[in-house]
Amino acid sequence: MEVVQAHASAAAFPGGESMRAMQNRAVEAVRDWNARIEAEHGEDACYVMCSHGDIVKSLVADALGLHLDLFQRVHVDPCSVTVIRYTRLRPFLLRLGDTGTSPDSPPRASRGRRGGRGRWRCGRTVIPSRSRVDAPL
């Protein structure tokens, strides 16, 4: 356990794959799906993949250019949404571990200043249509 926390790239589970092999498999799977989805539905297509936390964190580390040994610095909550937009140039991390409750977003919409004319403000962030939620199945 200590090796996984301190030097994930050196960790291998008995009878299983190494953390490095897991990350490589996950990244290859995401890039494969990106190519398939884009070929079939166009470059603006969006899709969802679900996985375990360490796999999601390893994909985030790859998207940010972090060494695998630093992936434990990334935190994702169970049942959260992480959004990575892949472009031809590089990936962009758009959301990390979003559970729908953010300290910078109000829980409810509030009335606008214009005398209650139906203008509502809310702190929600709209995810661009080109973004993808990525993690291998």
Side-chain angles (χ1 to χ4, degrees):
M1 181 66 158
E2 194 171 306
V3 174
V4 173
Q5 295 297 319
H7 301 289
S9 63
F13 296 98
E17 69 184 340
S18 69
M19 295 294 285
R20 184 176 297 176
M22 174 273 299
Q23 183 185 40
N24 289 338
R25 179 176 54 87
V27 169
E28 286 178 23
V30 165
R31 294 193 187 278
D32 178 59
W33 273 104
N34 287 343
R36 285 196 225 174
I37 298 294
E38 184 175 330
E40 189 171 336
H41 302 284
E43 68 178 19
D44 290 334
C46 180
Y47 66 97
V48 175
M49 299 177 94
C50 301
S51 190
H52 296 277
D54 279 354
I55 295 174
V56 174
K57 292 182 345 181
S58 75
L59 288 166
V60 168
D62 176 73
L64 294 175
L66 294 174
H67 191 277
L68 183 60
D69 287 343
L70 302 176
F71 98 116
Q72 293 292 9
R73 295 179 181 189
V74 176
H75 174 79
V76 294
D77 284 318
C79 301
S80 63
V81 174
T82 295
V83 179
I84 302 171
R85 181 180 63 158
Y86 287 86
T87 68
R88 287 187 172 90
L89 181 60
R90 70 177 60 94
F92 293 89
L93 179 64
L94 301 178
R95 289 206 174 236
L96 177 64
D98 188 348
T99 60
T101 56
S102 175
D104 61 346
S105 297
R108 288 184 229 146
S110 59
R111 285 256 182 217
R113 294 183 192 176
R114 302 188 105 183
R117 293 185 176 192
R119 293 183 185 241
W120 294 84
R121 290 196 189 127
C122 185
R124 277 188 291 165
T125 302
V126 177
I127 301 172
S129 62
R130 290 186 56 145
S131 56
R132 297 180 172 114
V133 179
D134 295 330
L137 297 171

